[in-house]
Amino acid sequence: MSTTAEPSPSAAQAAPKIRVLIADDQALIRRGMAMLLDAAPDIEVVGQAADGVEAVELARRARPDVVLMDLHMPRKGGVLATREISAALPHTRVMVLTTFDRDDLVFDAVRAGAQAYLLKDASEEEVLDTVRAVHRGESRLTPQIARKVMDQFRLLADRVAQEPAPAPMPVPDARAEAQAGTSPQPDATKPLTEREAAVLELIAKGYGNRQIATALNLAEGTAKNHVSRIMQKLHANTRTELAVLVLKK
């Protein structure tokens, strides 16, 4: 019986580690997180910040892959620090780790650019898994937050179902637009279809495009197109923002 060969230790060592910056005003939390992350073979801590000002400065110097960000810190809070880091370092992803699960904080952090939102009662395995997922470009929400989001999705779905259908839009003249040097733009005024609503629910659970495709029996490219269409309709810039956008409603 054939077996799959595992990568050799030398090959594993050759892979670049995920570089993480920790920002938290509690020294005990910083040290504990640093010990947890440094113990993982594929992660290294490249800096620790005691407040938002230090977090932004260290991020600019160290250019980490992931920033583990607390929200309530002196001098500059985590939301503002997240916004500044996301704007200055587009390849650095911010992962919120906090004790607060208020709706306004969730929404503000995501709008600022956070890719994930975990509470500090998360398990060590969940923290490590989320760091890796965020580094891959995925978005994650802690289960408590995800439940709130799903409740809001249901309310939004009911609201959309009760609204009258929008008036039909005029069909664009593709030939005239081509002559003018423009292309037809997607109509972002239509409500979500049943399929898009199903995709949206899976996005809220943290599913990637491949997982969505498998769950709904779609081609991966089709799932990706649905996600893009939903973002256009709901005017969202990231998958995480899409997942919590309705919290503001």
Side-chain angles (χ1 to χ4, degrees):
M1 180 176 65
S2 62
T3 58
T4 302
E6 296 184 357
S8 64
S10 60
Q13 293 173 359
K17 292 186 176 183
I18 303 171
R19 305 172 71 254
V20 178
L21 169 66
I22 301 170
D24 198 296
D25 62 337
Q26 299 182 40
L28 185 61
I29 296 294
R30 293 198 306 272
R31 288 197 295 268
M33 284 294 107
M35 291 177 62
L36 170 66
L37 296 172
D38 275 333
D42 57 336
I43 301 173
E44 66 173 330
V45 176
V46 296
Q48 299 182 39
D51 56 51
V53 172
E54 286 187 5
V56 175
E57 293 174 350
L58 286 176
R60 289 179 181 273
R61 292 203 303 266
R63 297 184 177 273
D65 299 309
V66 177
V67 177
L68 208 61
M69 183 74 73
D70 189 20
L71 291 184
H72 283 264
M73 295 184 291
R75 294 206 293 169
K76 181 178 292 183
V79 171
L80 183 55
T82 295
R83 182 176 296 113
E84 293 183 11
I85 291 172
S86 299
L89 305 169
H91 297 295
T92 295
R93 297 181 171 94
V94 178
M95 166 185 162
V96 170
L97 184 65
T98 184
T99 57
F100 302 95
D101 64 349
R102 296 203 323 259
D103 293 355
D104 58 332
L105 285 177
V106 174
F107 184 80
D108 288 345
V110 172
R111 290 286 292 178
Q115 295 290 115
Y117 198 110
L118 287 187
L119 299 182
K120 286 183 178 177
D121 61 358
S123 67
E124 295 181 355
E125 182 179 348
E126 188 176 4
V127 172
L128 293 172
D129 181 59
T130 302
V131 168
R132 296 178 179 118
V134 168
H135 181 245
R136 293 193 301 266
E138 300 176 13
S139 299
R140 294 291 176 91
L141 296 174
T142 200
Q144 296 94 318
I145 302 298
R147 280 194 293 271
K148 290 185 178 184
V149 172
M150 293 309 301
D151 289 341
Q152 292 296 327
F153 279 147
R154 295 186 183 96
L155 291 175
L156 179 63
D158 291 341
R159 193 179 305 132
V160 170
Q162 295 171 5
E163 291 179 353
M169 299 291 290
V171 178
D173 187 340
R175 182 180 303 174
E177 289 180 339
Q179 292 174 350
T182 62
S183 57
Q185 297 299 313
D187 178 9
T189 64
K190 296 180 180 179
L192 299 182
T193 65
E194 291 185 8
R195 174 66 76 185
E196 289 167 346
V199 171
L200 191 56
E201 288 198 13
L202 296 180
I203 292 174
K205 295 179 181 179
Y207 281 41
N209 291 340
R210 183 173 299 177
Q211 294 171 306
I212 292 173
T214 300
L216 299 180
N217 195 26
L218 302 172
E220 186 173 351
T222 302
K224 182 178 180 181
N225 290 339
H226 279 308
V227 173
S228 297
R229 182 67 173 170
I230 294 169
M231 285 185 173
Q232 292 169 357
K233 287 185 175 183
L234 299 185
H235 307 288
N237 296 318
T238 67
R239 295 172 73 100
T240 309
E241 182 180 341
L242 190 63
V244 300
L245 186 60
V246 293
L247 289 176
K248 193 176 181 181
K249 294 183 178 294

